[in-house]
Every structure is written in C-alpha cells, then in structure tokens.
Amino acid sequence: MATAGGGSVADPGSRSLLRLLSFCVLLAGLCRGNSVERKIYISLNKTAPCVRLLNATHQIGCQSSVSGDTGILHVVEKERDLQWVLTDGPNPPYVVLLEGELFTRNLMEKLKGTTSRIAGLAVSLAKPRPASGSSPSVQCPNDGFGIYSNSYGPEFAHCREIPWNPLGDGLAYEDFSFPIFLLEDENETKVIKQCYRDHNLSPNGSAPTFPLCAMQLFSHMHAVISTVTCMRRSSIQSTFSINPEIVCDPLSDYNVWSMLKPINISGALEPDDRVVVAATRLDSRSFFWNVAPGAESAVASFVTQLAAAEALQKAPDVLTLPRNVMFVFFQGETFDYIGSSRMVYDMEKGKFPVQLENIDSFVELGQVALRNSLELWMHTDPMSQKNESVHNQVEALLSTLEKSGAGVPAVVLRRPNQSQPLPPSSLQRFLRARNISGVVLADHSAVFHNHYYQSIYDTAENINVSYPEWQSPEEDLNFVTDTAKVTRLLYGFLVRANNSWFQSILRQDLRSYLGDGPLQHYIAVSSPTNTTYVVQYALANLTGQVVDLPREQCQDPSKVPSENKDLYEYAWVQGPLNSNETDRLPRCVRSTARLARALSPAFELRQWGSTEYSTWTESRWKDIRARIFLVASRELEFITLMVGFGILVFSLVVTYCINAKADVLFITPREPGAVSY
C-alpha cells in the first residue's frame, strides 16, 4: 500500500497470507500425525495388564512409570535365555517376552531382584497349558476371613491341617515395580517374535546392531500403599475438591438370589418360616486384570446350581414343600468373601427379607466339575458340631442328601473324616455369625483337584468341555458334551457368550454385555458385571414364567392389579427369533430372581483397615496400552537431537531475519496509471 510520503511498507495482506500458509502447514502435519505414528509403532490390541489391588495392609500387582516403560525386547523361551537379560545384555533395560510355562514364582523372583535391568514383562499364553499345573493363588485362600482363627479352631487356622491349594505359589498376591502384560492374541505374539528375530537376534551371542526392536508398556496406577491410604486420599479429595481425583475403588458387584416360592421383599419373614439356602460363588480371578475364566473354580458350580434351580422349580409338588429354598450366587468370594459377608451383615441388620434365624440348613456347591471321578464329598464343620443340636441337624442333612443322591446312580456321595475342617467356602461366613447345619459339596475329599485354581488356564479345557471342529457356533450351542447336559449354559459361559440363547434371555440394552468369547468372572468395580447380569437373567428364564403383559406394563407392573412387584421381578427380554429368523419376539418374564448388593460392609462402615471384613480395592488408571517399535542407538539419538536442535535454531534465525526485512522482501507493486482507449 502506498503511503502519503510515497514510501512503502510490508503489505499486511502478505503477512496474513504467510501466517495462514504456516498454519496450514502445521495443521497438515497434525492431520498426518496419526499416520506417522502408525508407521513408527505397532499397537498391541489384545493384551491384559496386571493392575494394582490393595487391602487393609498392603498393595499387590504391577504398574509402570507415569510415561510408560520402554526396553529392548528379548524373548525368553528357556530359563537359560534369561542370562542375557540379567547380566550379559549390553543394552538394558529390557522388556522380556516370556513363554507362558516359564511364568512361575521362582523365575519372577529372579526378575524382581534385578529391576534396574528390567523395564517390563510380556507373557504369552502357554499352548498346551502347563501339564504340571499353574495356580498364582495362595495355598490357603481367604486366610483369616473364614471361621477358623487362633481363638476358634486354632488347629484348623491358616490351613494348618490341609493346604487346600497345594500348587498355589502366591504370585498373584505379590507386588511388582514394573509392568506385566498378558499377550492374548497368538498372531500378535508372532509379530513381536518376528520383530525380535529380524532385529535383536544376532549369531554367536554377540551384541546385535541397531536399530533394535523395543516394547513400551503403559500401566501407571494412581493408588499406593494400602486401602486405608487410598480411601483416605479419595475421601479428602471428595470433601475439599470441586473436581475430586479418586485414586481407588472398592471391589463390588451384586449377589444374585431367588426364592423357590415367592416372598414379600418389602418386609421380613416370620421367625417360624424356615428356608434352605442353596449357595455357590460367581467369581474367580487370575494374575491379569479381567482374565478370569474360572471354569472349575466357579462356572461348573454356578451352572450346576442354575440347572438344579430349574429342575426344582419344575417339580410338580414344589408348592407343598415344608421349607422354602433360597438360591444364592455370591459375588466377590475370591476376595475374602465379599458377597457372603455382605449378605450376613444385611441379615443381621434387618436389611434383607430373610433373617439368619430363618435359615434351616445351608447347602453349598464348591468345585463340582467331577473331572477325575463321580464322587462328591460332603464337607462339614467339626467345631459347630460340638453343639449336640447342630450335630444332629447336620447328620439329618447328610442323611437326606445321601437318600436324594441314591436316585442319581452316576454320582456317589461320600463323607470325609468328620474331624476335617471346611474348605474355603461361603458357609464359613454364616457360621461366624450363627451355628447352623451346613454342608459343602465338592469333588475333592481333601486338597483341590483343580490344578489351575485362579489361573488363566482354568478354561473349558480344564473341565473337559470340547466341541467338534466342524460344527458351527449354533451347533456347538446345542451340542450335548460328555461333561454335562446343561450344554447351553456351559457353552455360553465358557466358549461364546454372544449366542442366540443368551441374546434371547437378556434385555435389549444389555446386548453389549455379550462378547464373542467366553465371559470373564472377575468382580471388578463397575457393576453389575457381565456375569452377574447373565446369571440373573438365565435364572429368571429357567425358573420364571412368561406372562402376557405388554412392554409398558412389564416395565411398570404396579399398573396391573393382578401383579405384585414385592413378590416378583419383571423383565422385558428380547425373546427368541421368529420362524423366519429375521426378528425377535420380545416377551415379559416374571420371576423371583433379584440382585442384592455385594459391597463389603467395611466400606459402608468406613472401616478401611478392618480385619473382620474384606477391604480389597482396585487402583484407578488413565492409560493402559502396549506397543512395539524400532529404536536407534543412543549415539544416533543424540546426533538426531543435536541436528534437530540446530535446525530449530537455524529456523528461528531465518524467521527473525525475514521478519526484520519484511518491508524489503514483500513490496507491493505500484498501481498502474489510468488507461485510456
């Protein structure tokens, strides 16, 4: 633009155009950032981390640093391969890819002692599973939270007489300062190993040349020390901060329960009303977060109870039985009896329609997969039977079970030595509160037969559930296996949850809870979990009735004079496919299947250091992921940094010079004079 004095300045329009071009270049770079990242990194999408859990006294699990931990990848296929990582390798720290069968306490102790050379660990699934067994749990599950203690049955306390899980090495209850991930996808494991062979494997044991294949693991945990510490910090944040940062959450979910004959849940049973409790557990765990197949430790038991509930409900004279039956599926029993201790607490406080004094007897299904034989052992508590009345009631219960079992020739009921204690069981929490006659049915007379207790290998294979390879998923769903005739339940919980039957029994808004693989039975902190919902609706489907109510009335039965929501639970489910298999036929199911809170009383009482109740919490986190990439030598990285810094300085100098001489470099030509024609 010409000035009044005839001079010229840099055109503002030119400067604006320069800034606009610069912004466009930066914007284009940002848009291409993801593509560049994908060219550098290979993300691992099928992994399961080890996360941090806490109780009243300490922390267990794993975590990475805030920005993730990176190390040169080294594959350990034999224990001697570990020497390179521990001492010989010239480029620490290392991320170890460990073959599944080597993932033992002894080897992990070696890694734990050399944390300066270990950045993390990736564990591949062992195929076939370890033949000798694998249990990262402890030998005395739920020690200190059952009935036996140094003051009550001291000879049985701390599993002194029987270490119920002899293969347990306690690995899942250790604390590790580096991240540990499970590689769940075999194809991803192959990609990682190929990267290692291409870049990190050198002949004759010499040091490999750069670039090297590296792995980065992100799993930083917010909570530390113990539940007492993390809950106190979360409480302070909630009290004084507008945007509180919660660092841990209690492990919690819901118990599933139903009555053989409906009861009014708005009140309490009369003292003379007698109830037989049929109980089992829903949950399991493993070393890795949300990988809890629990085939033998949980699924075989609660599937058996679902089948028993269906059979009893369909008995012709069920309404004439002298005692009602309450079916209970406890959640969180793996973590010091969360579900059963909460139900006992609610019964004592009058917050549950059934009271402790209403319980006539207690029958619990422990591990009942019957893999090795067809013998079921009836475990009882020797301490409570010192009371003659309780002893007589227990004897009557055992005799009744033996008579009932006589009609099932395939299964033999046996009594272990009466001086033997109860195995870990929910019954122990009820016996702490009241002497009742109870029995735990299990397929083991003493130590567990399950060699994969609380392990990633406690899968369908562990209880001999298999299907012909040539069958379709729908054919597998209805295939009667050699293990049991409750085939659809076993298939849904252990093989493929997203099947036509599970779809038909759930509400439409719960469809996303069904994955293509098996359900995992970890209690977690977001509830109800997949397992809880599916068990509730399976129980409703097996024991309830389809009633002729439209959707609106099914969702609000109070508008229907003939229905009573205090007696029944109503659910509008998707229903089966029509004859053309194009649409579903939704329907209203009425049952007594309900949910009851499974949150440890310790958190309601704010007794985070309790030794009476479970205090397990799970740490929160922001980012969990894993990826591999090629890393250059430190020398090249330093040179690259210096060159980049030099380019930056040069760019700043050039930019400054151009800006200083802008009035010379960007001159607008004079406007031409008037043109005449």
Side-chain angles (χ1 to χ4, degrees):
M1 177 182 293
T3 64
S8 64
V9 297
D11 182 7
S14 300
R15 290 188 176 181
S16 297
L17 180 61
L18 182 62
R19 294 190 185 110
L20 180 61
L21 289 173
S22 301
F23 175 74
C24 290
V25 170
L26 290 174
L27 185 61
L30 289 174
C31 292
R32 287 195 300 268
N34 288 336
S35 298
V36 173
E37 182 177 359
R38 285 196 297 268
K39 291 178 180 178
I40 297 175
Y41 300 102
I42 297 178
S43 296
L44 306 174
N45 300 315
K46 293 286 291 182
T47 62
C50 160
V51 303
R52 174 164 290 162
L53 298 171
L54 310 99
N55 65 10
T57 57
H58 62 286
Q59 65 185 30
I60 63 173
C62 324
Q63 77 156 357
S64 73
S65 59
V66 175
S67 56
D69 291 323
T70 303
I72 303 301
L73 183 66
H74 188 76
V75 175
V76 174
E77 296 178 333
K78 299 180 179 61
E79 191 166 348
R80 63 173 178 267
D81 297 337
L82 205 60
Q83 191 66 28
W84 181 267
V85 174
L86 299 179
T87 57
D88 298 347
N91 302 302
Y94 289 93
V95 171
V96 176
L97 196 165
L98 190 68
E99 293 296 326
E101 61 269 16
L102 297 178
F103 187 55
T104 63
R105 185 184 182 94
N106 289 337
L107 188 141
M108 291 302 297
E109 290 291 344
K110 294 179 181 179
L111 295 179
K112 196 174 182 180
T114 56
T115 53
S116 61
R117 294 182 62 87
I118 302 295
L121 185 69
V123 181
S124 64
L125 281 169
K127 291 187 178 180
R129 58 188 177 154
S132 59
S134 173
S135 176
S137 182
V138 291
Q139 294 189 358
C140 189
N142 293 354
D143 185 22
F145 289 86
I147 188 174
Y148 306 117
S149 66
N150 292 333
S151 59
Y152 184 90
E155 65 271 31
F156 305 133
H158 313 301
C159 300
R160 289 191 178 106
E161 183 172 302
I162 301 176
W164 293 101
N165 182 38
L167 291 178
D169 61 14
L171 191 60
Y173 292 85
E174 289 290 317
D175 184 44
F176 295 92
S177 59
F178 50 84
I180 304 176
F181 278 59
L182 175 67
L183 303 176
E184 298 182 274
D185 190 298
E186 192 173 352
N187 291 327
E188 287 189 346
T189 303
K190 289 179 180 178
V191 170
I192 297 170
K193 288 184 176 181
Q194 189 60 49
C195 183
Y196 168 78
R197 285 191 291 266
D198 291 345
H199 300 280
N200 297 12
L201 194 59
S202 58
N204 304 322
S206 59
T209 57
F210 287 91
L212 297 176
C213 188
M215 181 178 285
Q216 191 172 29
L217 304 173
F218 298 85
S219 63
H220 181 66
M221 302 286 121
H222 293 178
V224 294
I225 303 176
S226 68
T227 288
V228 177
T229 301
C230 78
M231 289 299 293
R232 183 176 65 244
R233 290 176 179 175
S234 296
S235 179
I236 293 172
Q237 284 276 339
S238 300
T239 304
F240 297 104
S241 176
I242 298 176
N243 297 309
E245 184 176 349
I246 308 301
V247 296
C248 70
D249 300 283
L251 294 180
S252 66
D253 196 41
Y254 288 85
N255 298 323
V256 180
W257 68 283
S258 73
M259 301 298 298
L260 186 63
K261 293 181 283 188
I263 62 172
N264 191 330
I265 64 166
S266 61
L269 292 181
E270 295 296 327
D272 293 337
D273 292 335
R274 309 301 290 166
V275 174
V276 176
V277 176
T280 190
R281 65 165 54 185
L282 285 179
D283 67 304
S284 183
R285 70 163 297 201
S286 75
F287 185 89
F288 300 98
W289 182 75
N290 205 31
V291 181
E296 185 169 357
S297 60
V299 177
S301 307
F302 71 68
V303 162
T304 301
Q305 176 143 304
L306 286 170
E310 179 188 26
L312 194 55
Q313 189 71 53
K314 292 179 179 178
D317 56 349
V318 62
L319 296 178
T320 64
L321 292 175
R323 298 176 182 84
N324 207 342
V325 179
M326 181 172 76
F327 297 98
V328 188
F329 302 79
F330 291 118
Q331 263 285 15
E333 296 301 272
T334 300
F335 294 94
D336 299 335
Y337 305 118
I338 292 174
S340 56
S341 62
R342 179 54 185 260
M343 182 164 284
V344 171
Y345 175 83
D346 287 343
M347 286 180 171
E348 291 177 323
K349 300 297 182 182
K351 298 180 180 180
F352 195 78
V354 178
Q355 309 298 304
L356 284 172
E357 55 266 26
N358 295 125
I359 298 177
D360 179 81
S361 54
F362 196 106
V363 180
E364 180 174 354
L365 292 180
Q367 299 182 75
V368 293
L370 298 174
R371 291 184 301 106
N372 299 332
S373 70
L374 295 178
E375 292 179 327
L376 272 183
W377 296 85
M378 300 182 292
H379 297 267
T380 58
D381 169 45
M383 296 299 297
S384 59
Q385 290 187 71
K386 291 181 179 180
N387 181 304
E388 185 178 356
S389 174
V390 174
H391 174 74
N392 293 335
Q393 292 173 6
V394 170
E395 283 295 317
L397 176 59
L398 294 176
S399 298
T400 301
L401 289 171
E402 287 171 338
K403 290 177 183 177
S404 302
V408 187
V411 177
V412 180
L413 290 171
R414 300 199 182 279
R415 301 189 186 193
N417 191 318
Q418 289 199 344
S419 64
Q420 183 175 298
L422 281 171
S425 53
S426 305
L427 173 58
Q428 292 199 31
R429 289 302 302 192
F430 283 79
L431 287 173
R432 282 178 69 141
R434 185 182 180 89
N435 271 356
I436 57 177
S437 61
V439 60
V440 176
L441 299 175
D443 61 8
H444 52 89
S445 61
V447 300
F448 294 166
H449 288 168
N450 186 1
H451 292 175
Y452 304 95
Y453 182 74
Q454 293 184 10
S455 166
I456 56 178
Y457 303 109
D458 190 9
T459 59
E461 180 187 4
N462 193 32
I463 58 173
N464 302 323
V465 173
S466 60
Y467 300 88
E469 295 181 358
W470 59 85
Q471 287 188 169
S472 67
E474 195 65 24
E475 290 173 326
D476 287 345
L477 173 64
N478 297 292
F479 179 74
V480 179
T481 68
D482 294 332
T483 302
K485 293 185 178 181
V486 284
T487 176
R488 292 192 299 177
L489 288 166
L490 287 173
Y491 178 81
F493 286 110
L494 293 177
V495 180
R496 184 183 176 88
N498 194 14
N499 60 72
S500 61
W501 186 54
F502 276 6
Q503 291 168 4
S504 70
I505 65 175
L506 288 180
R507 300 197 315 254
Q508 186 176 13
D509 60 307
L510 298 178
R511 289 179 301 175
S512 61
Y513 279 65
L514 301 178
D516 289 334
L519 289 176
Q520 302 299 325
H521 310 294
Y522 172 65
I523 179 175
V525 297
S526 57
S527 55
T529 59
N530 308 38
T531 299
T532 301
Y533 267 135
V534 176
V535 168
Q536 180 195 7
Y537 280 87
L539 183 62
N541 180 272
L542 295 172
T543 63
Q545 292 180 322
V546 176
V547 292
D548 188 19
L549 293 178
R551 180 173 183 173
E552 293 75 16
Q553 292 181 347
C554 185
Q555 294 175 339
D556 187 10
S558 60
K559 298 178 180 179
V560 184
S562 60
E563 302 298 334
N564 189 338
K565 200 164 186 179
D566 287 338
L567 294 178
Y568 297 102
E569 189 80 3
Y570 298 80
W572 185 256
V573 300
Q574 293 190 93
L577 292 169
N578 61 14
S579 56
N580 297 327
E581 297 189 355
T582 55
D583 296 304
R584 293 196 171 274
L585 304 172
R587 55 192 185 182
C588 184
V589 176
R590 183 183 69 190
S591 73
T592 61
R594 302 177 185 275
L595 300 180
R597 200 78 173 95
L599 170 67
S600 171
F603 298 100
E604 185 165 307
L605 299 169
R606 296 177 69 85
Q607 296 176 357
W608 303 319
S610 173
T611 57
E612 169 70 13
Y613 298 112
S614 169
T615 55
W616 284 103
T617 55
E618 180 187 273
S619 173
R620 286 196 178 185
W621 59 81
K622 288 184 179 178
D623 190 20
I624 286 186
R625 56 194 171 98
R627 60 189 184 182
I628 61 172
F629 58 98
L630 295 182
V631 62
S633 65
R634 297 186 184 277
E635 292 79 8
L636 182 57
E637 287 179 341
F638 179 76
I639 293 172
T640 304
L641 176 64
M642 291 298 99
V643 170
F645 182 73
I647 292 174
L648 174 63
V649 172
F650 177 75
S651 301
L652 292 175
V653 172
V654 171
T655 302
Y656 174 79
C657 294
I658 291 176
N659 189 61
K661 299 296 183 180
D663 55 341
V664 177
L665 297 175
F666 302 103
I667 298 176
T668 303
R670 294 179 178 274
E671 295 182 4
V675 179
S676 59
Y677 296 93

